[in-house]
Each structure stands twice: as C-alpha cells, then as structure tokens.
Amino acid sequence: MPKPHDLPALLADIHREASDLFGQGRVASYIPALAEVNPHQFGIAIATIDGQTHSVGDAHTPFSLQSITKLFTFVLALKLEGDALWQRVGREPSGAAFNSIVQLETENGVPRNPFINAGALVITDILTTRYAHLDYALLGALRRLADEPGLHWNPRVARSERDTAHRNMAMAYFMKSHGNFRNEPEAVLDNYCRQCATEMSCAQLAQATLFLANNGRDLSRSGQPDEQFLGPDETRRVNALLLTCGAYDAAGDFAYRIGLPVKTGVGGGIVAVVPEVGTVAVWAPELDAKGNSVLGAFALERLVAATGWGHTSF
Ligand code: GLU
C-alpha cells in the first residue's frame, strides 16, 4: 500500500487526468430523471480498514446508486436465505446486457446472477416476502453501515423509473410464469425502483462497503459497537461474484483492467473492494456503451496500477 501521505497526491493526479475524458460517455437517459444530472461531476473516495479516508472532487455529492444497491440487497438476502438462494438465481457471468431478457427464456426463468436486472428482481422478490417495508429495512442497513442516519431514496427518481419500467416488468412477469417469483410483480417493482433510487456520496459508499474489505466486519465510526455484518466465508463469496459479475457484460474487461471486485450502476457510480485494505468509490455520470462510468473505470484502472492493489490482495 502506498504511504498514507501519498494517496491524496495520487488521487489529485488521477482526478486531473480523468477529467480529460469528460464528453466521451453519455448520461443514462432511459430513466428520465437520471438524464437531468449534470454530466460534468466526478468524485473519488477511499476508506481503509485502518481508518483512513481520502477524497477528491465531488466525493461528497449524493448520486443515484441504481444497480450498486443490488450488492446490498444481495447481501441481505444471503444473510436471510443462505444457500437456498441459489435455487432461484445463478452465479455465472451473463455476458449479456444488464437488462437483457434473452437468457431467461432458454434458462427457464432463472437469472444468471444476482447483479443483472433479472437476478436483482428475484432478490427483491425474496426480500419483499421477508420485509413488510423493504425500503426501511434496506435504508436501516445502509444507515448503519455508512454511519449516516440521513440516507434516503429519492421519490422523484423512483417514480421516474417506475413509470418507465416496462422491460423490468416484462422480466418479472416472465419469471412469475416460470414459478420463480412469489409476489405480485407490481409490488416488487415498487420496491425495486425505490431501492435503485437510493442516494449516497462516494465517501458514504466507500464507508458502507468497508465490511467487504474486512472479512465481513463492519467498523463503526459513530460509537456503536463493531458488528460482524456478514460471515468471512460469505464475504469472500460476495467478492468473488462482484469480480465475475459486478460490471454487467464488461465484467471480464473490468477484471482484466482493474482486477478487483466491483459493482457499477447506471447513475455513474462504481465501488471497488480491495480485500484486507479498503474500498474505493468513484462517481462520474457519463457512461460507456455497456452502462459503466467512463471516468470511474479509468480512475480505478489508474489507481490499481499505481498502488498494486489488484495484484497483491485478491
Ligand atoms: N434501476 C436500473 C434498472 O433497473 C438499474 C440499472 C443499473 O444501474 O445498471 O434499469
């Protein structure tokens, strides 16, 4: 790991270099409210398990987590269901777009993994059965992990996604026809759209995911006791899935370029886990053709090259 005093200078360099890439991607527009975001924003935050935090740029501006929430809902479902979960969702990379329907037909309504939309909908279906108010349950977990009591989901973004969620709804009905959906698709979609509309800053996201770098142990900074949020074995497995499936159909490219467990979202955020070291959250709204942040991916690639994190710790 670089010396602590080197990280701020490194982040400043990376931020400056990455800013040259503004204009190379496009802000997601299929959810109308996301298209209103100012594209020229870019933040990076690092949290380490030994208590350091570093940030640069717009690292304290809340953004729409979108698919990054799939990481947290998956962890909640894994805690509740254990291995029974794998009867309803697979754990293979899809090699297809995040919102692809095609595999569902040939694979009998069982999605490839929990991080593509179809798989995340099954996870939200599982949690809808378990929680009367899933949004409170999820926010409760996130507030605790991030040490941020004010975290919320954005009702305008949730409404905007819900009004245009035709493809996700189609997948939900299709899975229901195969017996892989327990609740009414409408109710699950309500929960899913609220979940995706959760907002956090890079600094908060890095903190909220730190347990994944720390063998599942959440390190509280607000005076509450630390908590074994997820078992060490489960944590290792979650990280393996993030490495292989966390970046849609660019997961192989991300593994090659960055080599860390990551989760990306169409809000332009990416969180990366450096096991035994810490977490890195990046956010810049302009996306490449596969729905991943252009500046964010570049920044992670540069950071890993400069620190060696991808090579030494996973
Ligand atoms: N809410 C988005 C959707 O379901 C999430 C997609 C993403 O962030 O990749 O399409």
Side-chain angles (χ1 to χ4, degrees):
M1 180 172 171
K3 294 190 179 64
H5 60 266
D6 292 340
L7 276 174
L10 178 59
L11 288 189
D13 282 351
I14 293 173
H15 189 270
R16 198 173 41 249
E17 286 172 36
S19 297
D20 286 345
L21 303 180
F22 276 131
Q24 291 198 6
R26 300 179 70 163
V27 174
S29 57
Y30 74 100
I31 298 172
L34 293 184
E36 296 164 15
V37 172
N38 170 8
H40 283 197
Q41 300 183 84
F42 176 36
I44 311 175
I46 294 177
T48 66
I49 61 174
D50 63 5
Q52 300 172 49
T53 55
H54 302 280
S55 62
V56 66
D58 300 304
H60 296 280
T61 305
F63 63 91
S64 196
L65 286 187
Q66 294 298 317
S67 273
I68 296 174
T69 59
K70 294 171 182 172
L71 149 60
F72 296 107
T73 50
F74 171 61
V75 167
L76 288 185
L78 190 63
K79 280 160 68 91
L80 289 167
E81 301 273 322
D83 280 347
L85 190 81
W86 302 118
Q87 290 165 15
R88 299 194 48 195
V89 64
R91 46 185 191 239
E92 289 294 340
S94 70
F98 69 96
N99 57 359
S100 172
I101 299 182
V102 288
Q103 284 166 345
L104 277 182
E105 170 124 45
T106 50
E107 297 177 8
N108 302 316
V110 178
R112 278 284 175 98
N113 67 66
F115 299 140
I116 52 173
N117 281 14
L121 286 165
V122 166
I123 298 293
T124 303
D125 180 51
I126 290 170
L127 295 177
T128 299
T129 301
R130 292 285 195 144
Y131 292 112
H133 295 285
L134 174 54
D135 51 343
Y136 292 146
L138 178 60
L139 279 180
L142 294 179
R143 286 170 178 166
R144 157 114 204 184
L145 288 169
D147 286 334
E148 290 283 354
L151 291 179
H152 64 278
W153 51 270
N154 182 322
R156 220 172 55 76
V157 174
R159 183 78 256 158
S160 178
E161 175 162 6
R162 187 66 178 83
D163 288 345
T164 54
H166 315 301
R167 180 180 273 257
N168 284 336
M169 190 64 91
M171 288 195 275
Y173 272 107
F174 189 80
M175 291 188 283
K176 189 144 180 92
S177 80
H178 275 281
N180 196 17
F181 227 70
R182 305 288 184 265
N183 298 280
E184 287 309 314
E186 276 79 5
V188 176
L189 259 290
D190 285 348
N191 276 337
Y192 175 82
C193 293
R194 290 183 194 128
Q195 152 198 332
C196 290
T198 305
E199 296 185 337
M200 270 195 208
S201 68
C202 290
Q204 292 166 340
L205 179 60
Q207 179 66 30
T209 46
L210 203 48
F211 71 97
L212 290 173
N214 194 36
N215 294 307
R217 193 159 185 80
D218 173 41
L219 302 170
S220 172
R221 293 189 181 170
S222 60
Q224 298 182 63
D226 293 350
E227 179 191 12
Q228 192 69 45
F229 187 71
L230 190 66
D233 286 346
E234 285 81 11
T235 303
R236 181 172 46 77
R237 292 181 177 126
V238 170
N239 283 332
L241 269 183
L242 291 172
L243 180 73
T244 51
C245 308
Y248 314 130
D249 46 341
D253 184 51
F254 266 61
Y256 182 84
R257 290 168 60 193
I258 297 163
L260 293 173
V262 296
K263 186 69 202 87
T264 67
V266 295
I270 309 175
V271 64
V273 181
V274 192
E276 314 282 342
V277 175
T279 49
V280 187
V282 294
W283 169 60
E286 291 179 338
L287 308 178
D288 63 19
K290 297 198 168 171
N292 298 314
S293 172
V294 174
L295 275 72
F298 172 86
L300 287 173
E301 190 174 4
R302 275 281 286 112
L303 188 63
V304 159
T307 57
W309 280 346
H311 313 287
T312 55
S313 53
F314 194 74

